[in-house]
Every structure is written in structure tokens, then in C-alpha cells.
Amino acid sequence: MASEGAFFDGFLDDYFAESEEHLTAAGDALLKLDDSIGNPAVERAAIDDLFRYFHTLKAISAMVELRPAEQLAHHLEHYLRAIRDGQTPLSPAGTNVLIDGTRRLEEIVHAHRAQREQPSIADLLSRVETLVRPAADRPDGAAGSSAPPERRWICTFAPTRDLLASGIGVDVIRKRLGEIGTIVEAVPQVRPDGTISFQFTIMAPNDIDLAKAFEGEPVTIREIVKGADLASALAATEPESGGASAVSPSSLSQVVRVDLARLDQLMQGVGDLVISRARLTESLNRVERHVPAVEFRTVQENATTIDRQLRALREGIMRLRLVPVGEIFRRMPFVVRDLARETGRTVLLDLRGQTTEIDKYLIERMMDPVLHLVRNAVSHGIEAPDVRVARGKKPEGTITLSAATVGDVVTLEIADDGQGVNQSVVEARARLLGLSIPPGPLDAAGVLTVLCAPGFSTKTETDRASGRGVGMAVVKETVEELSGTITLETEPGEGTRFIIQLPVTLAITDALIGRVGDESFAIPQGAVREVIDVAAADIRQLEENEILPYRDGALPILRLSRLFGIASAANGRFHVFVVGAGPGMLGLAVDRIVGHREIVVRAVTDPLVRVDGISGATDLGDGRVVLILDPGMLTRLTAQRAARALGDATTWGRVRA
């Protein structure tokens, strides 16, 4: 029984992966359909694609007995069939039903996977029945009623010279199968003798026995039933009973589904190898003076080769974890569409850099933050069409989502050309809510601090998009947990831009190692803009803050020795890591730089030992724990002091003098 349970667990994993692929493809087809007004050819192609996706979802959901998904997919397919047959036109209400139905199917599959209560489908079934009711005189029954159940078959055809000479080829078989049922998939196969066969997966009405219909024909027919045939029904690549065992590589998708947990285990193993290699390096350094130079050179060359191979292995596994950021972006058009319709706004969505790749884990964690920022852009940013026209703008607003990678850092931008953030309104609302406000005039960084305060909202009533006072706080918290930063750029009347910077991956990274007294700290290399050598005499003191003349401006300095209470060993000079950008730029001062290392990031999750400014820990191979700095958090910790030091140009002039 245990092996049977394991089999069905594995089969369910196949079902979830297959469903996700079809639902993603359905989303893409819905976008084409929504944009195909006035283009019948594109509309028809999109409808055909959607019909195929829902048909397949119905079939595979029936196999795992997920009845809500099966029933809803069937009704959506029924509506699309009515459109294809000319029984009912595609209407805006119909497009909305298809979009809402696709979302509900996603919710059903996710709920089944998480073993949660299934969402109701009654409302959607009723809406579909209303749409197809004009097709009540269809030969297959009254509109809105369930079509006859269907059976799934596998048909294998191996063409030969004699069959081709008699006029029986793959096109003839395909046509006959299509007349009886619906061809779900067709896969060519290479037999052991080098000849080609074709395998078709067909859905046919329940009252048709496909085996009898093709009795005496040069094909092999078998019905797909529950049990061992389920997995082959999903993959549709099982060899025919005639002994074909090899499948043409060019005929199949060159993709292998791997559970993310397995990739996590692989990355964990590579991380252990990185630490072991660091320990080996430390050991070699200790024994070098005891080994003849000629012999040690060979050992060192081998160690260098292992180092290079390990880095290649690490990069290869990291690439396996990378997925296009388009997985986030592709959901946003439907969100914008719904909110624009609900708020009476006209909004265009511009997607850029969808092929930019980041770690799958980051994709999952950033889905909700990006979703919230997009909702905010519609709800708070884009003005009503008449207001935009009165301000000399186009009636339709534009929201731009873009992604780009520079080194080990990925940048996500969510921008709109709306009214911008009114800083005085934000400040007044914060005071009304009793929230703390950064001292001095609010700049963009100060506005962002207020916007991300728990409980802050400029709306007095809650709607679908905003008003709960938790959204921006969650956005900030999530970005910080991922060792990222978020900044705000806004111009009244022109628009708003949120810029999120994240590490491409969180597991293993290159880092610079700095030393303060007897302690070492690691800082991710991708977060460091520049490393500078500084004389202590160049530092200016302003109240409790230290600043350094830097590129025609001033750079706030944070000495790690003072922050963490460590006795400094610096002798009049020290090194500074320059991190951040714009007003958020900061210099982290250490006694000296030890070097560059590849580190394994171990997150510090215990709240009893977490320290602000520290994102994790690592082992450099000598057995001692090295803390990993969080530049974003350190920048935020010193933001208020830096703002006071740099906000008054007159004061800065006195300091420089």
C-alpha cells in the first residue's frame, strides 16, 4: 500500500505541474483574446487555444477526481465550443467569465495542493449557463447542461510503405480520429528499428468505443483508465505495445520538472562543499611552509582546479533555480484590468524585461509585494481620465513594470505616470494617525518611511485595492527579509516609481571580507558600489554623526566598531564600503579589508539572537563564525541621522569650513 500511495503522490505532483502549465498558457491566451478586438483571426486562434487548455484541464482533473476543477473547466470549454460553433458571440461578459474562471481554477488547484477547503464555483457556473443559454437548440443538448462524459484513448499508428501506397497515412488517421473525438496531443516516436510511429491522445464521447470503431484498422487503440496509465496519459509519451522504447529527442520538450525542494538540497550540498573547500584552503596555508615548494605547487594546482570546478557547479545549480520574472508580471494585466474597470480609469500596462531571471524562491516571495504596488498605482497614482485631460495628459494612464539584472543584483521597478505622492497629505495623515515622522522636511526617503509604517493609509475606507494600512508595511518587510532594498522616486503631477533591488539568489554569493578589531564581517559584493581608503583626519563631525566629503557631496559614515561595540585597531586610516544609492548612500567603515571570498549564507532566524544590520552568518573555513552585514538595514538605521547632517546646506558649509 505504501508504494501505491507513493505512486499517486508522484502522480499528483505531475498533475499540479501540468495544471500550472496549462493555466499559465491559458492566461497568455486570454491576454491575446482581450487584445484581439477587431482581429477575427487572432480571436479565433486564442479561442482554439483556450478550448484545448480547458479541455485538457477537465480531463486530467477528472483523473485525480478533483471534481470542482473538472466541472468548471468543462463549463468554460462548453462556452468556448458554443462560440466556435457560432451559437453565441464572444462578449465582454464572456471574456470576464473566462478570466475569472481561469483564476478560480488556479485557486482550486492551489487549495487541493495545500489541502484547504475548495472555493465555490456556483457563481461561475451560473454565469456560464447564462452566456450559453441562447444555444439551447444545439444538437448536443440544452445550453448550460452538462455534455456527455468523455473517455480518453491512446491511438498508435505506424506508417509503412504498403499503407502509404494504399492511401493510408498519418493525415488520414488524424482526420478520422478528429471526426470521432478531440485530439488532445500528438507525439511522434522513434521505434527500435529506426522507423517512425505516431501516438495520439483522444477524448471521445462516452458512448463511443474507439477500439471497436477502428477494429481491423492498422492502429493500436487502448483506453486510459485510472491506475498505472494515469501518468502516461499526462505525459502522452509511453511507447506503443509493439516494443518502441526510444523517443525522438527532437519530438519532446527538452524540459525536466524538478521539485524546488530537491534543488534546495543540491544547493545545500554545494554550500557544504564551499565550506569544506574553504577549510581545505586554510589547512593548505598552514602546511605550506612544511612542504617543498615543488611538491606544494602540484597540490596548489589541484586545489585551484577543484575551486574552479566547484564554482562552475555552483553556478550551474543556481541557473537551474532561475526562472523568468515574467512569472510575476504575467498576472498583472488581469489585476490592472479589473481595478481599472472598477475605478473607472483607463490604464495601459507596459511590461519590460520579462525574461530577466531570478531565483524561484524570490519569485514566490515577491508576487504579493509587486501585486500590492500595482494595485496602489491604479488606486492612488493614476488619475481619472477627465482629470488627466484637464492636466494636459493623455486620458489613459500607464503603469510600467520592468526588470533588469546587473551583476548579482536584480532591479524591479513599478512606475506610473499619475499624480505622484503628495508629501503634505502624507505628513498630515501620518500625524492624524499618530505615527512617528522623520525630523525635518520630508524627502522621498522620509515619505517612503511613512508610507511603509504599519497602519498607514491615505484612504478612510477600505476597498479591494487599498485602505487596510498593511500593504506597504508588508512590502517593505518582505523586501528586507530577502536582503533587498526599496526606494521611492516621486514628482507631483508626473508620477511615482518604486525601485526594488534584490540579490539574484540568496544561498551562495561572492562577498568582501572586512575586519574590525578581532572580528571579521562579510558584505555581499553586489551591494558594494565602491571601496575607498580614508584618512581619519578627513572625517567631519556633526553632532553625533560623521560625514566624509565625497564626489562633490557628503557621505554619511557608519563605523562598525562603534555600532557593534568592538575595539578598533585602525591606525589613522581605514577602509570604507560605499553602499546604497542617491540619498540613501552610506559608508561602512572597517579597519581593513581581508579579501574576497565565496560564502554560504546561513540566515539568522532565531529572534533571540537576531541583530539589526546582520542578515546571516557564514564560515570561512577556519571554524569561526563570520557575520554577514545587511547594507539595506544599516542604511535605514542611519537614515535619520544622515538626513539631519545633510539636510541643512548652511550647516554643511560651516562643517566644511
Side-chain angles (χ1 to χ4, degrees):
M1 295 299 293
S3 61
E4 182 178 349
F7 167 78
F8 279 103
D9 287 343
F11 174 65
L12 273 175
D13 289 339
D14 286 341
Y15 167 75
F16 293 135
E18 189 85 2
S19 298
E20 184 177 353
E21 289 181 4
H22 287 297
L23 288 169
T24 297
D28 293 338
L30 284 168
L31 288 178
K32 294 179 183 177
L33 186 64
D34 203 31
D35 294 336
S36 65
I37 299 176
N39 192 332
V42 176
E43 179 181 302
R44 176 61 190 230
I47 290 174
D48 288 343
D49 288 341
L50 286 169
F51 182 89
R52 184 169 66 256
Y53 299 139
F54 290 135
H55 187 88
T56 305
L57 282 166
K58 176 183 72 173
I60 63 179
S61 297
M63 291 176 188
V64 299
E65 298 185 345
L66 185 53
R67 300 307 178 197
E70 176 191 5
Q71 190 176 7
L72 179 54
H74 166 71
H75 275 68
L76 297 174
E77 173 199 10
H78 189 51
Y79 172 52
L80 290 166
R81 181 186 287 114
I83 297 174
R84 291 172 59 176
D85 294 345
Q87 301 296 326
T88 188
L90 176 65
S91 63
T95 302
N96 292 337
V97 163
L98 293 172
I99 292 173
D100 294 343
T102 302
R103 287 178 177 169
R104 192 68 54 82
L105 283 170
E106 287 182 337
E107 294 170 1
I108 292 170
V109 173
H110 291 163
H112 189 58
R113 188 168 201 169
Q115 298 183 348
R116 297 195 306 265
E117 182 180 356
Q118 291 289 336
S120 173
I121 60 173
D123 58 327
L124 283 167
L125 298 186
S126 176
R127 290 166 63 186
V128 173
E129 289 173 355
T130 300
L131 289 169
V132 298
R133 191 165 295 131
D137 59 345
R138 287 187 51 184
D140 59 346
S145 62
S146 297
E150 294 179 307
R151 297 159 70 181
R152 193 180 187 96
W153 304 81
I154 291 291
C155 173
T156 304
F157 170 67
T160 64
R161 290 182 180 273
D162 293 339
L163 289 174
L164 292 174
S166 61
I168 302 177
V170 65
D171 290 336
V172 173
I173 299 298
R174 184 195 297 269
K175 182 178 179 181
R176 290 191 56 190
L177 290 171
E179 291 172 349
I180 297 176
T182 301
I183 298 176
V184 177
E185 195 161 10
V187 179
Q189 298 176 322
V190 177
R191 296 153 60 94
D193 59 3
T195 59
I196 300 292
S197 66
F198 297 87
Q199 181 172 283
F200 300 92
T201 305
I202 306 98
M203 296 297 296
N206 192 47
D207 56 349
I208 293 181
D209 188 330
L210 208 64
K212 288 186 177 180
F214 279 83
E215 190 172 1
E217 299 289 340
V219 295
T220 301
I221 301 283
R222 63 185 177 85
E223 185 178 1
I224 296 295
V225 294
K226 290 180 182 177
D229 284 338
L230 292 180
S232 62
L234 278 178
T237 58
E238 182 178 320
E240 63 171 312
S241 57
S245 59
V247 180
S248 169
S250 62
S251 67
L252 300 178
S253 173
Q254 301 299 303
V255 175
V256 177
R257 297 192 189 103
V258 180
D259 189 81
L260 189 60
R262 295 187 180 183
L263 291 180
D264 288 339
Q265 292 173 355
L266 280 176
M267 186 60 79
Q268 175 84 24
V270 172
D272 293 340
L273 285 174
V274 170
I275 293 175
S276 297
R277 182 205 58 195
R279 291 173 179 167
L280 174 62
T281 301
E282 288 292 324
S283 298
L284 290 176
N285 291 337
R286 287 196 299 269
V287 304
E288 180 178 4
R289 65 179 181 273
H290 303 295
V291 179
V294 175
E295 295 181 12
F296 188 79
R297 188 178 301 114
T298 302
V299 174
Q300 198 169 38
E301 288 174 355
N302 290 334
T304 301
T305 300
I306 293 175
D307 183 84
R308 184 171 59 252
Q309 293 170 343
L310 181 55
R311 178 173 287 272
L313 176 62
R314 164 215 162 184
E315 292 176 352
I317 293 179
M318 284 175 57
R319 283 195 296 271
L320 290 178
R321 296 176 57 92
L322 300 182
V323 294
V325 76
E327 286 197 10
I328 297 178
F329 286 3
R330 68 164 52 98
R331 301 192 180 197
M332 300 306 142
F334 303 112
V335 175
V336 170
R337 182 180 183 274
D338 283 355
L339 291 177
R341 185 176 65 241
E342 191 174 285
T343 59
R345 290 163 170 77
T346 304
V347 184
L348 303 178
L349 188 61
D350 183 11
L351 305 180
R352 304 177 183 178
Q354 295 190 71
T355 58
T356 300
E357 293 184 324
I358 60 176
D359 195 289
K360 175 66 173 178
Y361 176 73
L362 296 178
I363 288 284
E364 294 176 350
R365 292 295 308 276
M366 286 304 300
M367 189 72 73
D368 286 342
V370 173
L371 178 62
H372 182 81
L373 291 174
V374 169
R375 284 174 170 166
N376 270 2
V378 178
S379 179
H380 295 286
I382 303 297
E383 312 96 326
D386 56 339
V387 175
R388 292 181 61 87
V389 171
R391 294 176 176 174
K393 298 181 177 180
K394 295 180 179 179
E396 65 275 4
T398 300
I399 296 176
T400 302
L401 299 183
S402 63
T405 303
V406 179
D408 292 332
V409 176
V410 63
T411 300
L412 303 177
E413 293 189 6
I414 300 91
D416 66 73
D417 64 348
Q419 59 190 342
V421 178
N422 189 317
Q423 299 178 2
S424 60
V425 170
V426 170
E427 183 174 355
R429 183 66 177 168
R431 295 187 187 281
L432 181 64
L433 295 172
L435 301 176
S436 61
I437 301 174
L442 281 184
D443 57 5
V447 169
L448 181 61
T449 300
V450 174
L451 292 178
C452 294
F456 178 83
S457 176
T458 57
K459 287 201 169 185
T460 56
E461 296 182 0
T462 300
D463 57 26
R464 282 183 59 195
S466 58
R468 298 168 181 80
V470 296
M472 285 303 300
V474 173
V475 171
K476 176 187 176 185
E477 180 181 338
T478 302
V479 171
E480 291 178 355
E481 287 178 356
L482 298 176
S483 299
T485 61
I486 179 171
T487 55
L488 168 68
E489 296 177 0
T490 185
E491 184 70 27
E494 299 296 328
T496 302
R497 181 187 306 272
F498 287 94
I499 304 169
I500 298 173
Q501 291 188 312
L502 299 165
V504 173
T505 185
L506 299 176
I508 303 175
T509 188
D510 291 314
L512 296 173
I513 311 300
R515 198 156 184 82
V516 179
D518 294 329
E519 300 293 334
S520 294
F521 295 91
I523 181 169
Q525 182 176 319
V528 179
R529 297 173 57 90
E530 186 179 2
V531 177
I532 56 178
D533 180 65
V534 176
D538 294 335
I539 300 295
R540 302 288 190 268
Q541 189 77 26
L542 180 60
E543 297 181 354
E544 297 180 359
N545 302 295
E546 289 187 319
I547 52 181
L548 173 73
Y550 178 76
R551 299 187 183 279
D552 298 325
L555 177 69
I557 298 296
L558 176 64
R559 299 196 192 212
L560 297 184
S561 58
R562 294 179 181 175
L563 178 65
F564 298 119
I566 303 172
S568 174
N571 249 342
R573 301 194 71 85
F574 50 86
H575 289 99
V576 171
F577 296 117
V578 181
V579 300
M585 194 176 294
L586 177 68
L588 302 177
V590 297
D591 294 349
R592 60 191 178 91
I593 296 176
V594 177
H596 167 270
R597 300 291 289 272
E598 187 178 32
I599 64 170
V600 178
V601 179
R602 307 295 192 197
V604 178
T605 57
D606 189 338
L608 297 178
V609 297
R610 292 187 66 176
V611 177
D612 287 342
I614 300 297
S615 62
T618 190
D619 181 353
L620 298 183
D622 56 4
R624 292 188 299 176
V625 174
V626 174
L627 298 178
I628 303 172
L629 299 175
D630 183 343
M633 176 62 74
L634 292 174
T635 299
R636 289 185 290 274
L637 288 174
T638 57
Q640 292 186 6
R641 288 188 298 169
R644 284 198 299 266
L646 301 175
D648 189 337
T650 304
T651 302
W652 171 236
R654 292 199 302 268
V655 171
R656 295 191 65 181

